[in-house]
Amino acid sequence: MSTAEGVATGEAVLYETTPTGVAVLTLNRPDRLNTWGGDIATAYYSSLDRAEADPAVRVIVLTGRGKAFCAGANLGSTASASESLAKPDQPNLNELVGERQPYHLTMLSKPVIAAVNGSCAGIGLTQALMCDIRFAAAGAKFAASFARRGLIAEYGVSWILPRLTGWAVALDLLLSGRTFLAEEAAELGLVKEVVAADRLMDRVMEYAEDIARNCSPASMAVIKRQAYGDAMRDVAQSSAQAEILLQESLQRPDVIEGITSFLEKRAPSFPGLSSPDTEGSS
């Protein structure tokens, strides 16, 4: 991977790119298990904007440095957390969470892959679930621990979790707040693959670079809009919308290149996205 400017070890989120067009965002607060705070939120959304705007970037990978992916919110010490929550005015959640919420990932035009290298809890779990695809290190711990902290199912987790697992499993995880391992997460459909910890990033990068080399950025952008948009539509609306999008896709050079490269038994050479807004209806 090529190291981009500003990737000093003190940065809250490290940003690197590969020649094939994979941007790797690494949460970089290992001393506190990458718990979510304003420093990470600011750097994280800035890095996402950077990857989304770069025509050379085709896939985004999100991971954590050290023993954790993101072990929840950074509440600080018991005293500081109690003092903050006891204030007469409502706490400023934007200072902790950031000005955007985790579902922002579903609105990006590029696929986002989570490489869950360790503990993934609370808002860290929500961020991982809002990624399009998830891999996990063997033995990594997951928890929707909100009820055990006196909280509610926050920031869209009650929307995404039932869609990934079904109602019964989602309610089990949300109401119990129990800890479960990567292996169970894969059985429940939350994780695509469980990989030995020392091979996690190699496997994720292999998968991401295959997508970057062989899948049309324009097609992937539209497919993401379809998938998340169709979650709110009935089947007739989804089918009608797909017909419109199909007609639009036939006007793009990607189709000719995709078919030609298949017939010629060679890797395709798809153009990148010229802007975050891909042609076509949403």
Side-chain angles (χ1 to χ4, degrees):
M1 286 183 286
S2 64
T3 303
E5 66 271 13
V7 183
T9 55
E11 294 292 328
V13 175
L14 307 182
Y15 185 102
E16 300 173 280
T17 58
T18 71
T20 51
V22 179
V24 181
L25 281 59
T26 305
L27 306 184
N28 188 36
R29 289 293 182 261
D31 55 314
R32 66 176 203 232
L33 300 180
N34 297 318
T35 48
W36 196 267
D39 56 342
I40 284 182
T42 298
Y44 172 69
Y45 288 115
S46 175
S47 296
L48 286 177
D49 288 345
R50 178 177 178 180
E52 179 78 347
D54 186 350
V57 171
R58 300 184 173 213
V59 182
I60 301 168
V61 170
L62 174 63
T63 192
R65 181 166 168 248
K67 297 180 179 180
F69 176 78
C70 174
N74 181 29
L75 300 177
S77 66
T78 302
S80 62
S82 299
E83 180 183 351
S84 175
L85 295 174
K87 290 179 180 178
D89 296 330
Q90 290 185 345
N92 184 359
L93 294 177
N94 284 350
E95 293 180 1
L96 175 66
V97 178
E99 294 184 358
R100 281 174 270 186
Q101 295 195 11
Y103 76 84
H104 176 72
L105 290 174
T106 69
M107 302 173 69
L108 298 178
S109 64
K110 300 170 184 182
V112 184
I113 303 170
V116 181
N117 55 299
S119 298
C120 182
I123 193 171
L125 176 66
T126 306
Q127 291 285 3
L129 296 183
M130 290 296 181
C131 293
D132 304 306
I133 302 158
R134 286 156 296 283
F135 291 74
K141 294 180 178 180
F142 292 75
S145 50
F146 311 105
R148 297 194 178 212
R149 305 292 180 268
L151 298 169
I152 52 85
E154 59 192 25
Y155 298 112
V157 71
S158 60
W159 181 87
I160 190 66
L161 189 54
R163 285 168 167 79
L164 296 174
T165 67
W167 285 105
V169 172
L171 287 171
D172 161 40
L173 299 179
L174 290 169
L175 294 176
S176 72
R178 65 183 178 86
T179 297
F180 55 102
L181 300 182
E183 291 74 11
E184 183 180 356
E187 292 175 0
L188 298 177
L190 294 179
V191 168
K192 171 180 161 40
E193 290 180 28
V194 177
V195 186
D198 60 355
R199 289 201 61 252
L200 177 65
M201 286 306 295
D202 287 342
R203 174 65 184 118
V204 170
M205 295 304 293
E206 175 187 38
Y207 182 89
E209 292 192 339
D210 176 68
I211 292 176
R213 289 190 188 97
N214 296 302
C215 295
S216 160
S219 293
M220 291 191 292
V222 173
I223 288 169
K224 277 195 66 167
R225 289 209 308 270
Q226 285 180 277
Y228 293 110
D230 286 349
M232 309 303 292
R233 303 184 184 107
D234 64 32
V235 66
Q237 291 173 317
S238 297
S239 296
Q241 179 71 1
E243 187 172 356
I244 294 170
L245 294 172
L246 177 60
Q247 291 294 332
E248 292 175 353
S249 72
L250 293 176
Q251 307 304 311
R252 288 194 291 268
D254 300 57
V255 170
I256 295 175
E257 173 59 14
I259 294 173
T260 302
S261 62
F262 173 75
L263 295 175
E264 295 178 352
K265 295 181 171 56
R266 61 173 175 82
S269 179
F270 292 118
L273 295 177
S274 57
S275 73
D277 297 320
T278 307
E279 293 180 7
S281 305
S282 59

